Structure formats: C-alpha cells, structure tokens
Amino acid sequence: MTADVALLGIRHHGPGSARAVAAALERWRPDAVLIEGPPEADGIVHLAAGNGLVPPVALLAHAVDDPARAAFWPYAEFSPEWVAIRYGVERELPVRFIDLPAGYGLGPTAEAGEPGEPGEPGEPAGPVADPLALLAEAAGYDDPERWWEDVVEHRAPGADDPDGLAPFAAVAEAMAALRAEGLGESRRDDLREAYMRQQIRAARRAGHRRIAVVCGAFHVPALAVLPTVAHDRALLAGLPRKVRTDITWVPWTHRRLSQATGYGAGVRSPGWYHHLFGTEGDPVPSWLTRAAELLRAEDHPVSSAHVIEAVRLARTLAVLRGRPLAGLTETLDAVRAVLCEGSDVALELVRDRLVVGDALGEVPDEAPAVPLQRDLTRWQRTLRLKPEAAPKDLDLDLRKDTDAARSRLLHRLRLLGVDWGVPARSAVNSTGTFRESWRLCWQPEFAVRIAEAAQWGTTVEEAATGKAVGTARAAVELAELTGLVETCLLAGLAGALPAVMRVLADCAALDTDVAHLAGALPALVRALRYGDVRGTDHGALGEVATGLADRICVGLPPACVGLDAEGAAAMRGRLDEVHGAIGLLGPAARPEPDAQEGPDAPAASPGPDGSDGPAVSEGLADRWAAALRSLARREPAGGPATGAPGLLRGRAVRLLLDDGRLDSEEAAGRLRLVLSTANAPADAAGWIEGFLTGGGALLLHDPRLLALVDDWLTGVPGEVFTDVLPLLRRTFAGLEAGVRSTIGGRVAAGPLGEAPAARTPGGTLDRARADAAVPVVALLLGARPRIPRQAAGRNT
C-alpha cells in the first residue's frame, strides 16, 4: 500500500471482508473507489444509489451478436464489492470497475480460463490452486471455510486500528508469501492484473489522491508494486479481439449464489452469511430463534427451552473444538441434536430455508433491458405474477380472462425456452380442459434466455410467434410438429398457426411411417379439445387429425408384423394413445362437461370438419375397430416374423372388448386359441400381458377367462416355464394389489370356469329418472344421447 492507494484484498461474498471494507472506507475516506469487475458496468453503477437495486443482484454482460455468450458477476448484501459500490455512490464518489473488459472473454475464440460454455454464467478463471486452502492447510485446518471463519468472519474491526487497514495488510502479507513460491498463478491472472494496474495509473492521472482498490486478495501483491507501463502494455498486446457487449443489472438469488458457478460463486451458506453480516454481536441466538420459528411452522414441537439449550450446546462445542465463536458447523450440530431431535429430514429443511435461502433481488425500471424483457415485466405486473425464487404452485381456471392470459404467457415463455412455469399435477382432481396447474420458480439465468429470444421479436407474443414458425421450418419429425401445434394453441399464437399447419400438412402427407403417425396424433387431438375453452378455430386441424387417423387405420396391422420385443412394447404404448385419441376425435369440439352442466346442456355440436360430430366419430371408430380386428387376426403362422407379436394381438382384443366391439364369448374363444398347445408359450405369455394391461378385474368378472389362463399355466412344460415366467411376473405385478389377492384366492378355492351367479333383482327400474340422466352420461362418455321421444318431451 502507498500513501495514495489502499489495496483492500477481500474474499468474494465474505461477510467478514465486507465488514472490514466498510470500516476501512469509513476511516480512510477515499476520493475514488476502484473495484474488481467489468468496466462496461461503469455507466450503470449509479443505479445502486437509493432503494431500487436490492441485492442479491448480478451484472449480466453478453455479446451483442450472440446473447448466448454471457457472463454474470453476482453480488449479495454481504459481498465486499457491493459494500464498496454503495459507499461510493451514496457519497457521489467516482466508482470504477478495473478488471479486464467482458468483451475480451465473450468472443467466439475465447481462450481457456474465460467465461464458461455459451449460455452458461461463468467468470474469468481464478488461480489454478485455491490460496485459502493452502493457507488453511499451513495453519493446521482441514477445511478452508472453517479457517476463514475463525480468522476473518468472526473478527470485528478493532478500535485500535485508526485507518482500518490492518487486516488487509495481514492478508496481503500471506498472499505475497504464496505468490513468492509461484503458487496459484496463471497467464489469465497476469493479463487481468496488468489491466488493473493500468486503471490505477489512470485514476492517479485523473487527480485522485486517496484511491481505494477493492479486489480479490490474491491480486494484491501484483498491484502493490507497479512495473513499467511498457511491461503492462506488452502483456495486454496478446489479448483476443474484443466483441461488442451489452451489460445490465439482473435479479439474483441466494440459491443460485450457493451453486459452484458464476463470478466468485460457490458460497455454501449464503443465508447464514447474510445473517452474520446483518447481526450485531453474537449471531447464534437470533439464528437459532429463526430456526425454531421455521420448524414450528412445519409442525415440529420446538419450544423456547429448546432454543436456550441449543445456544448452550453450540457455544460448548465451539469451546471443545478450540474455535473463537460458534460457527455454522457447531450451530447445525446443535440444531440436529436439540431442535430436530436427531432427525436429518428436519435438519435438511433448516439447511434449505435458512442456510441457503430463497432471497431474490430486485432491479429498478431504469436498468437497461431489451424490449422483450420490458414487455415481459409489463405482463408480469398486469397479470399479478411476481417472479419468486421459491417454488410456488398456481392453479388456473381458463374460463376466467386473467387466468387464461396467465396460461398464454407461461406457454409462450416455455416456447422461448424460459421455463418460469412448468406444468404440474394439481391437488384438485379434474379431467376438464378448463383447468391448468403450474409450478412457478424464477431462475436468474432466464435473463440470458430472454436476451437470446429477443432476436425473434420485441414482445412476448411476437417473439413466441417467430420462434414457433422458425421451429416448424426446421422440424424433421412429425410428432415435433404436432406438439408445436398444440403449444401454439395453448399459447394463443394465432399468427403462427397458418405457417405451422402448412408445414404439418406437408410433412404428414410425406411421412409413411405408422409409428411416426401414431406418435403425432395424440397431441393433435389434445389440441382440438382446447377449442371451446380457448376460443380457437380448429377446422384445418380437424382435417389433418382425421387424415392421420385414417392412414393409421390402414397401415397399423402390417406395421406390427415382425416386431421384436422392444419394438412391440413401444408400439403398444402408441396403440393405447391412438385408441384414446380416436375416442376423442369425434366429440373434440363439443363443450366440456365441466364447462356446462345439467341435463339441459347441448347434447352434441359439429365435429372438427364441420359435419355432425358423432357421425364422424362413429365412422372413424368403425374403421379403427376394423384395424384392431385385423391386427388381432395376424397370427404368426410361419414363425414370429410372419405375424404380429402376441403382446399387440392381445392388446387389440382387450381394446375391442372394452369398447363393446367384441363380446366376452368371442374374447374367451380367442384366448382359448392362443393358449392352445399349437402356439409358442412365449407368444401366449405376451398375448396375456397385452390383454390384461390396464386392469385385471376382467378375470374376476368372467371366471371362464381365469380358468383358461389357469389351465394353460399349469400345462406349460417345465423347461419352457422358466422362459415365460418373467413375462407373467411383469403382467401380474402390474395389476392392482386387491385384484392380485382376489385372483389368488379364487385359484386356491377352485374349481374355476363356472358361470357367474345370476344377479338378484334389486328393485323396479324408474325409467323416468333414468332417462333424465342420459344426456349428462352421454356427454361424459362422448356419445350422442339416444333419448326416447316421450322422455325428451318431459325434459323440455
């Protein structure tokens, strides 16, 4: 240190360093403050004045031509750099950042040691070895964090230090000893330190006589003695080309600060450090009080006596371990033993909420931002959706205008890669399309993704529309396009739908793979169901969906021939999805049962192609049933390669049976043929698996089927039984526990195969009351109600 320059070597995000910096600045009274950080931020540092910029926040720099190349410099309230920034701007002193400009590290040819992978926050690489770990090891500590706590964090600025510089002199001496041995140095540090020295010289030339330099402690020895200007210029001549960058302030979180990314990040306990910095005196009692409040809120029995005993235990542990004060380790040990009564589950709650925390910073409106970010902020305020770091569940009723607008915003952001909200399962059970559930959680890196998405438009709607069209033109899979159509409808992107539908129609016409068609249809049919609630026109969508369904009906049976076990399992999943989609395709445009209730609700509405909905449904359903019958008949007469796998044939029979297209007598006959000695046992086991998938109660309702399975199973030869056993175990393991237990009881009781007992009459049927419920039941089942003429007259 010299008479006009005070080098304040700090540890990034260290509350002890922050307190020492605050004391040194108050006592030394500099006329200029220089801080390690990107010089591009000099123009926005004034935003730290007042209360608009609330930490944790971060400086975000990104390349203008490629926003994915970005870097963050986060600051918390306990960061020494933030303390220095606030000191300077509040007193209207010159505050300058003196590290290498971010533009040198964000170019496409950036060398190793510069910001991380494109789109990921990073920092210029630090020393090769951690200097604090080396000092801690020399002092006999196995944990550098614990050593730093004992030496710095638990130390208050001394009254016998008139200028507050004594702790920084001690740290500088330790770092000089390390660097004298050549420990931890790198070429990247040499370049950064040369640039810092240039900025110190510039501050002197500007006439400043008391300059405070706040930088990482490792750099202090290199800044204490200035070499010649020519020496530093020669070093900096090797820098890569500098790219144009934009920089701004963005909100940050304690949780993100705790991760091992970002400039000086990797703080394991930001919530604890925040408490240390903001608490006068012993921080342990107040922190344990907060822990007790948290545990009580989660229904843990914690009293004031627990807090008193936990404080006593933490202090005792510190004495036994030879520490000046109780640190986080001792405090958490006391929490586990006393407040949590040995429970690691309760302790993890304390770690998550208090040791790390969910603090989220705020940025003023005056901060630079791309137009897309400003439009998003406007929508967040209009829809009362405040970004929060803590996960939050949100249930939306799409019949309400505000909730529908919220849904569109969240879907548009997901299309842009900003997963602020992700679909979640609601605690409210509902099958209606008018309800959506989301899990919201704001992440700091969304600022980079918003900057990337700005290339598509200046508003959220415009950017989402542009991204949807661009994605459609680049898509190669049909399922990707149908999923995109569904997203466009959910997001209300009417401007993107025509272009996306043209690409979808062309791709669907050229794609002959039945597996692709089957994977694409369900998303298309789900999109059709959103028409009534969201008010979208789905005429063209219905035509494409019907065309896909017809092509699947024609191509499904031959496409299933010769599939191996893995291919058959994948096709079974598609078979179930297509079956459900075709069941919805005809009535997809009708009002939801949840949206209109009561026996007077409309019974039917036109289908997607403008014709009568049930007629379309019944015609398509007939074609689909014919396809399933054809699949069920494709026996492997000449070997497995000549027919469809038993898994798919059995599944086709079960779907026909569930739809009433096949009676139990015919199903039993098909099962009897499959289980005959002429068929391979492995094929029969696969047939049973497909037939019983989705529920085995069928075996309980029809004892004949159970008897057939039982007779076949007892007749399987011993040498073959080992081969089919895994298939059978998997099949019956998928049944409900109650069904498995009942089947076991029936088999043990025997004999099987008897017809079920006749049901005793329970009373006289009241047809008038039954007819009144027909319209509602028809809507629930997706069928046209067939009401007797006299009953219809009574209801009207």
Side-chain angles (χ1 to χ4, degrees):
M1 299 188 188
T2 61
D4 61 342
V5 178
L7 298 175
L8 309 182
I10 53 93
R11 186 190 189 194
H12 302 296
H13 313 301
S17 290
R19 285 194 299 268
V21 166
L25 294 176
E26 285 291 345
R27 298 175 185 179
W28 202 66
R29 301 283 181 178
D31 60 2
V33 180
L34 307 183
I35 303 172
E36 180 185 336
E40 291 93 339
D42 287 349
I44 60 174
V45 71
H46 67 278
L47 296 174
N51 299 319
L53 195 62
V54 180
V57 292
L59 288 168
L60 163 62
H62 64 82
V64 173
D65 297 331
D66 185 7
R69 303 193 64 85
F72 292 102
W73 287 260
Y75 303 110
E77 186 177 358
F78 51 82
S79 300
E81 300 94 331
W82 178 257
V83 171
I85 290 172
R86 290 282 294 181
Y87 177 89
V89 297
E90 287 176 354
R91 291 160 180 78
E92 299 182 353
L93 301 177
V95 178
R96 299 288 182 267
F97 291 97
I98 61 172
D99 205 345
L100 268 179
Y104 287 121
L106 298 177
T109 58
E111 62 183 45
E114 297 189 357
E117 294 297 324
E120 291 292 331
E123 68 151 321
V128 176
D130 182 5
L132 295 183
L134 298 174
L135 292 174
E137 183 180 359
Y141 283 75
D142 58 356
D143 184 2
E145 291 285 338
R146 189 160 56 89
W147 174 81
W148 184 261
E149 277 192 352
D150 289 350
V151 174
V152 178
E153 303 303 343
H154 294 161
R155 178 188 180 279
D160 56 347
D161 184 10
D163 56 6
L165 301 180
F168 300 105
V171 172
E173 182 181 356
M175 293 299 169
L178 287 176
R179 298 196 64 154
E181 299 295 329
L183 299 174
E185 296 186 8
S186 67
R187 171 168 170 74
R188 176 66 179 171
D189 283 316
D190 292 341
L191 294 174
R192 296 173 62 199
E193 290 159 359
Y195 193 88
M196 292 181 196
R197 291 192 292 265
Q198 293 281 54
Q199 300 308 303
I200 293 174
R201 295 187 184 102
R204 281 175 168 171
R205 290 194 302 269
H208 298 296
R209 292 295 174 260
R210 296 176 69 82
I211 305 170
V213 179
V214 180
C215 63
F218 186 79
H219 303 300
V220 170
L223 304 183
V225 179
L226 301 183
T228 64
V229 176
H231 174 273
D232 288 341
R233 286 178 177 173
L235 277 175
L236 296 174
L239 286 171
R241 182 177 62 87
K242 183 179 179 182
V243 300
R244 289 193 308 124
T245 59
D246 281 341
I247 195 165
T248 186
W249 291 102
V250 296
W252 204 252
T253 66
H254 278 176
R255 192 169 303 280
R256 190 66 167 139
L257 194 65
S258 69
Q259 299 176 11
T261 56
Y263 187 77
V267 179
R268 291 181 291 183
S269 50
W272 167 257
Y273 275 6
H274 179 83
H275 181 76
L276 285 182
F277 182 72
T279 303
E280 295 291 339
D282 188 355
V284 174
S286 56
W287 195 85
L288 287 173
T289 301
R290 292 176 56 202
E293 292 175 352
L294 172 63
L295 292 172
R296 277 198 296 265
E298 297 294 330
D299 295 331
H300 290 273
V302 179
S303 67
S304 56
H306 285 84
V307 177
I308 295 172
E309 183 58 33
V311 172
R312 184 181 296 117
L313 177 58
R315 290 171 176 171
T316 303
L317 289 173
V319 173
L320 292 175
R321 295 169 181 175
R323 306 194 66 181
L325 289 173
L328 180 60
T329 303
E330 290 72 31
T331 306
L332 288 180
D333 286 345
V335 169
R336 177 193 284 112
V338 181
L339 303 186
C340 300
E341 298 180 343
S343 170
D344 286 334
V345 175
L347 180 65
E348 192 59 36
L349 176 67
V350 175
R351 288 183 184 274
D352 183 70
R353 302 279 185 87
L354 296 184
V355 177
V356 177
D358 290 312
L360 176 66
E362 298 180 9
V363 173
D365 294 337
E366 299 80 35
V370 295
L372 178 60
Q373 175 65 67
R374 296 195 181 281
D375 185 64
L376 173 58
T377 302
R378 179 178 64 84
W379 276 110
Q380 288 171 337
R381 291 175 178 171
T382 301
L383 301 177
R384 299 187 297 280
L385 283 176
K386 182 180 180 181
E388 296 178 358
K392 173 185 176 182
D393 292 327
L394 179 68
D395 289 325
L396 301 178
D397 184 344
L398 301 182
R399 296 169 296 185
K400 300 178 181 178
D401 293 341
T402 299
D403 282 359
R406 288 173 173 174
S407 172
R408 288 192 294 269
L409 176 65
L410 293 173
H411 281 293
R412 290 170 182 175
L413 291 176
R414 280 177 59 81
L415 186 58
L416 295 174
V418 181
D419 293 330
W420 175 23
V422 294
R425 184 178 180 86
S426 173
V428 179
N429 292 323
S430 174
T431 58
T433 57
F434 72 88
R435 183 178 296 278
E436 278 186 352
S437 296
W438 296 83
R439 170 63 64 90
L440 304 183
C441 184
W442 185 263
Q443 301 293 339
E445 56 266 31
F446 290 161
V448 175
R449 299 179 189 174
I450 292 171
E452 291 182 72
Q455 62 179 306
W456 300 105
T458 57
T459 66
V460 175
E461 181 177 3
E462 181 182 333
T465 299
K467 178 69 179 294
V469 174
T471 303
R473 291 171 178 168
V476 295
E477 295 286 343
L478 185 60
E480 183 181 358
L481 284 169
T482 55
L484 184 60
V485 169
E486 181 181 14
T487 301
C488 288
L489 287 173
L490 292 170
L493 300 178
L497 270 177
V500 176
M501 287 300 302
R502 283 195 296 271
V503 178
L504 173 62
D506 294 342
C507 186
L510 298 175
D511 200 329
T512 58
D513 192 323
V514 174
H516 291 171
L517 300 178
L521 182 64
L524 212 56
V525 174
R526 285 196 304 269
L528 280 169
R529 299 186 67 205
Y530 305 133
D532 294 305
V533 174
R534 299 176 184 270
T536 53
D537 180 15
H538 46 54
L541 203 59
E543 294 177 2
V544 175
T546 303
L548 283 180
D550 285 335
R551 292 173 61 192
I552 292 172
C553 292
V554 173
L556 177 67
C560 294
V561 173
L563 292 177
D564 58 11
E566 184 178 354
M571 185 61 78
R572 184 191 67 179
R574 296 191 184 98
L575 194 67
D576 288 341
E577 291 178 352
V578 170
H579 184 75
I582 289 179
L584 294 171
L585 187 55
R590 295 185 218 155
E592 282 293 316
D594 297 284
Q596 258 184 300
E597 301 176 353
D600 297 328
S605 61
D609 60 353
S611 61
D612 186 69
V616 173
S617 177
E618 290 172 4
L620 181 58
D622 290 340
R623 295 192 292 276
W624 175 244
L628 292 177
R629 286 182 179 276
S630 175
L631 173 60
R633 290 194 297 267
R634 294 199 174 239
E635 306 282 347
T642 62
L647 178 70
L648 299 180
R649 302 197 322 273
R651 191 62 190 148
V653 171
R654 177 61 183 271
L655 294 177
L656 289 169
L657 180 63
D658 288 346
D659 277 358
R661 303 270 180 174
L662 202 69
D663 58 29
S664 58
E665 291 286 346
E666 186 175 353
R670 290 181 179 273
L671 178 59
R672 187 178 298 106
L673 290 175
V674 168
L675 299 182
S676 65
T677 56
N679 273 358
D683 183 73
W687 199 98
I688 293 174
E689 180 182 0
F691 185 72
L692 296 182
T693 298
L698 188 66
L699 296 179
L700 301 179
H701 298 316
D702 195 339
R704 292 169 300 175
L705 298 179
L706 180 58
L708 288 173
V709 174
D710 182 58
D711 291 342
W712 169 79
L713 188 57
T714 55
V716 173
E719 62 274 11
V720 181
F721 183 78
T722 305
D723 296 332
V724 301
L725 181 59
L727 291 175
L728 295 173
R729 286 179 60 89
R730 183 174 63 195
T731 300
F732 284 93
L735 303 182
E736 302 86 344
V739 172
R740 291 200 306 269
S741 176
T742 307
I743 289 177
R746 291 271 182 91
V747 173
L752 300 174
E754 298 177 357
R759 182 177 299 176
T760 57
T764 304
L765 175 65
D766 187 338
R767 290 192 173 276
R769 297 178 63 186
D771 290 343
V774 169
V776 176
V777 175
L779 284 173
L780 292 174
L781 298 178
R784 177 188 289 277
R786 295 178 173 85
I787 307 175
R789 187 175 303 275
Q790 63 273 20
R794 287 195 300 269
N795 288 334
T796 56

